[in-house]
């Protein structure tokens, strides 16, 4: 084969350009610190890095959701702690009002204290979340969810919770209706209340369950059954009948003794009535319902205790009912607070898993595209030496020309 001078020159230039390109590529890798700078460098590794980058972005979005949820849950936990303290103060005030020696003005002053506690509770219930919403706004509310109306406090939000956009169940609000307005009435199983037309000075406690297996509650009937204790006073003798809702007597003509439990026969319930009932006075027992509002409960107690001239029985009924309802509301609020606390605890695990996923994604991205600096420096040195050798070879070839020799 005939080798011409031009062919030698051309081959030398091709080799020189190739080595120059390799040296340039090594230099780009060293300056960027990455083995893959564009998809054509290694399509498979570039795809792996892209998937890892997507995973990193997803974990960062999840972390923002975790941070937002934690912020709201911390505010909610603090608000519930404040509300529980206020309810405890209201309970202590109600117990103090039960002092039979208080005058109307003294009871009214304590009722005013309850009214101030109610105002504070309303402010807590409408606590903002710092982001334009409200902690107890349910599924969203642009205005305070609890509104004080002439008929009482109403919840004008939407029941439920707003969930964060995340793979985990993270809440951004608390169901205000459930936390503040849906405690169980009575003792949680049944209620015991005086008839509005009673004329005596007797009052009834919340009652007790004596045999759970006999309880008629909870009832699936559209109208749950109810029972009543009706008093008959004749001279110095006071008796009572226990009736069902059809008026049928379960027991009748039983002698009344103040403070002694009265059984609802065969139904696993008893109530305790104290004081002096009037003739025809009636006390009704019914199913407990999850519709007890802290604001309605305080409103009833405040209204009764501010009324001048009420007898001791009416005072004690207001106090007993108020304390029983506050105990139920406190239990409901503590349950909601426990749920918030559990959410905060769960976030620690969610955050730990999210961090582990992010680390794994970063590791995968690094494995796919990052450069081994030791190996790269060695490779760069080799290619630099090769390029220098190519330059020297080209310079030598230029001298091997017939015309140059003749000249």
């Amino acid at each position: 084969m005939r080798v011409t001078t031009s062919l030698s020159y051309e081959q030398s230039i091709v080799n020189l350009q190739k080595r120059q390109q390799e040296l340039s590529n090594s230099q780009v890798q060293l300056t960027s610190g990455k083995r893959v700078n564009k998809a054509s460098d290694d399509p498979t590794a570039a795809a792996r890095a892209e998937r890892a980058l997507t995973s990193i972005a997803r974990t960062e979005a999840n972390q923002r959701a975790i941070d937002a949820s934690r912020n709201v849950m911390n505010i909610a936990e603090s608000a519930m702690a404040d509300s529980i303290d206020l309810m405890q103060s209201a309970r202590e005030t109600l117990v103090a009002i039960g002092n039979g020696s208080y005058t109307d003005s003294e009871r009214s002053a304590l009722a005013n204290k309850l009214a101030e506690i109610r105002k504070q509770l309303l402010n807590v219930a409408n606590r903002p979340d710092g982001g334009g919403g409200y902690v107890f706004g349910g599924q969203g509310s642009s205005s305070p969810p609890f509104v004080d109306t002439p008929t009482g406090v109403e919840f004008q939000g939407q029941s439920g919770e707003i969930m964060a956009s995340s793979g985990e169940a993270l809440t951004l609000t608390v169901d205000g209706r459930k936390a503040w307005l849906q405690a169980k009435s009575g003792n949680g199983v049944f209620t015991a209340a005086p008839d509005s037309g009673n004329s005596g000075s007797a009052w009834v406690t919340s009652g007790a369950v004596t045999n759970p297996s006999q309880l008629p509650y909870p009832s699936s009937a559209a109208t749950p059954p109810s029972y009543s204790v009706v008093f008959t006073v004749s001279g110095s003798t006071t008796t009572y009948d226990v009736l069902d809702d059809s008026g049928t007597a379960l027991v009748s003509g039983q002698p009344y003794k103040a403070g002694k439990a009265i059984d609802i026969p065969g139904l696993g319930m008893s109530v305790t009535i104290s004081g002096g009932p009037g003739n025809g006075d009636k006390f009704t027992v019914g199913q407990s319902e999850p519709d007890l509002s802290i604001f309605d409960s305080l409103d009833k107690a405040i209204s009764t205790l501010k009324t001048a001239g009420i007898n001791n029985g009416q005072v004690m009924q207001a106090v007993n009912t108020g304390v029983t309802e506050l105990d139920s509301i406190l239990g409901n609020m503590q349950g909601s607070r426990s749920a918030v606390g559990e959410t905060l605890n769960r976030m620690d695990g969610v955050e730990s898993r999210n961090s582990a996923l992010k680390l794994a994604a970063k590791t995968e991205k690094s494995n796919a595209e990052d450069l081994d600096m030791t190996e790269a420096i060695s490779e760069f040195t080799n290619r630099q030496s090769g390029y220098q050798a190519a330059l020297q070879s080209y310079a030598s070839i230029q001298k091997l020309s017939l015309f140059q020799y003749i000249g």
Side-chain angles (χ1 to χ4, degrees):
M1 182 180 68
R2 179 172 175 267
V3 179
T4 64
T5 302
S6 62
L7 179 60
S8 297
Y9 285 171
E10 185 177 347
Q11 287 178 337
S12 296
I13 291 173
V14 169
N15 289 332
L16 185 62
Q17 290 176 334
K18 179 181 178 182
R19 289 182 180 277
Q20 187 179 32
Q21 183 62 47
E22 289 174 347
L23 182 61
S24 176
N25 290 341
S26 292
Q27 187 177 20
V28 169
Q29 289 179 342
L30 283 172
T31 54
S32 68
K34 294 186 180 298
R35 184 179 63 85
V36 179
N37 289 284
K38 54 183 182 295
S40 60
D41 292 341
D42 187 336
T44 301
R48 286 172 56 199
E50 188 64 30
R51 286 194 297 269
L53 194 60
T54 301
S55 181
I56 291 170
R58 185 164 55 248
T59 57
E60 288 175 346
N62 288 342
Q63 185 60 49
R64 289 192 292 272
I66 292 169
D67 293 340
S69 181
R70 178 181 282 115
N71 177 62
V72 174
M73 292 301 102
N74 279 326
I75 296 174
E77 202 280 335
S78 176
M80 289 177 174
D82 292 343
S83 68
I84 288 172
D85 289 342
L86 288 168
M87 289 179 201
Q88 291 285 12
S89 179
R91 190 184 190 282
E92 292 168 4
T93 303
L94 273 173
V95 172
I97 291 174
N99 189 327
S101 65
Y102 280 168
T103 63
D104 286 349
S105 60
E106 289 171 328
R107 279 197 301 271
S108 181
L110 289 174
N112 288 334
K113 180 180 178 181
L114 288 178
E116 290 302 315
I117 291 174
R118 179 192 182 278
K119 290 179 182 178
Q120 293 181 64
L121 284 169
L122 183 59
N123 287 334
V124 173
N126 283 326
R127 183 162 293 180
D129 61 9
Y134 294 87
V135 173
F136 299 101
Q139 293 191 30
S141 177
S142 59
S143 57
F146 292 91
V147 179
D148 204 355
T149 70
T151 57
V153 173
E154 295 180 358
F155 181 71
Q156 297 189 350
Q158 180 69 33
S159 292
E161 298 170 332
I162 295 177
M163 306 302 293
S165 180
S166 169
E168 300 279 354
L170 300 174
T171 55
L172 296 175
T173 58
V174 176
D175 188 344
R177 185 189 298 278
K178 182 178 179 181
W180 294 86
L181 308 181
Q182 291 187 335
K184 294 281 284 184
S185 59
N187 59 18
V189 177
F190 63 90
T191 61
D195 190 80
S196 59
N198 286 0
S199 60
S201 60
W203 67 91
V204 63
T205 63
S206 59
V209 174
T210 57
N211 190 337
S213 64
Q214 294 180 333
L215 286 172
Y217 308 126
S219 171
S220 59
T223 303
S226 62
Y227 308 90
S228 58
V229 179
V230 181
F231 287 90
T232 301
V233 180
S234 178
S236 61
T237 302
T238 302
T239 60
Y240 67 86
D241 301 338
V242 179
L243 312 176
D244 63 16
D245 49 11
S246 67
T248 302
L250 303 180
V251 295
S252 60
Q254 297 297 307
Y256 166 68
K257 184 177 181 180
K260 182 181 179 181
I262 297 174
D263 287 326
I264 311 298
L267 296 170
M269 300 180 290
S270 70
V271 295
T272 301
I273 299 174
S274 302
N279 187 45
D281 281 3
K282 180 179 179 182
F283 295 84
T284 303
V285 175
Q287 178 170 277
S288 176
E289 300 292 346
D291 58 1
L292 183 59
S293 159
I294 175 60
F295 305 106
D296 290 347
S297 179
L298 288 175
D299 285 344
K300 287 186 298 182
I302 291 167
S303 176
T304 301
L305 296 170
K306 279 189 172 183
T307 303
I310 58 176
N311 60 43
N312 186 60
Q314 292 171 306
V315 172
M316 292 306 298
Q317 186 64 71
V319 169
N320 274 281
T321 300
V323 169
T324 298
E325 291 181 349
L326 275 175
D327 286 343
S328 179
I329 293 163
L330 275 166
N332 187 62
M333 184 61 72
Q334 286 166 343
S336 296
R337 186 183 181 187
S338 295
V340 169
E342 181 56 36
T343 300
L344 286 168
N345 288 338
R346 186 162 50 82
M347 280 182 199
D348 293 336
V350 172
E351 187 169 32
S352 178
R353 291 193 296 273
N354 195 62
S355 297
L357 288 173
K358 184 175 182 180
L359 178 60
K362 283 186 172 181
T363 301
E364 172 65 10
K365 183 173 181 291
S366 176
N367 291 339
E369 67 179 12
D370 283 0
L371 188 67
D372 183 335
M373 295 301 292
T374 303
E375 181 181 346
I377 291 172
S378 176
E379 184 70 19
F380 177 78
T381 302
N382 290 337
R383 288 178 175 176
Q384 189 177 40
S385 299
Y387 181 58
Q388 290 174 345
L391 286 174
Q392 292 174 355
S393 175
Y394 180 69
S396 298
I397 288 175
Q398 280 186 318
K399 298 176 182 178
L400 301 178
S401 165
L402 177 60
F403 298 105
Q404 188 179 18
Y405 179 76
I406 294 172

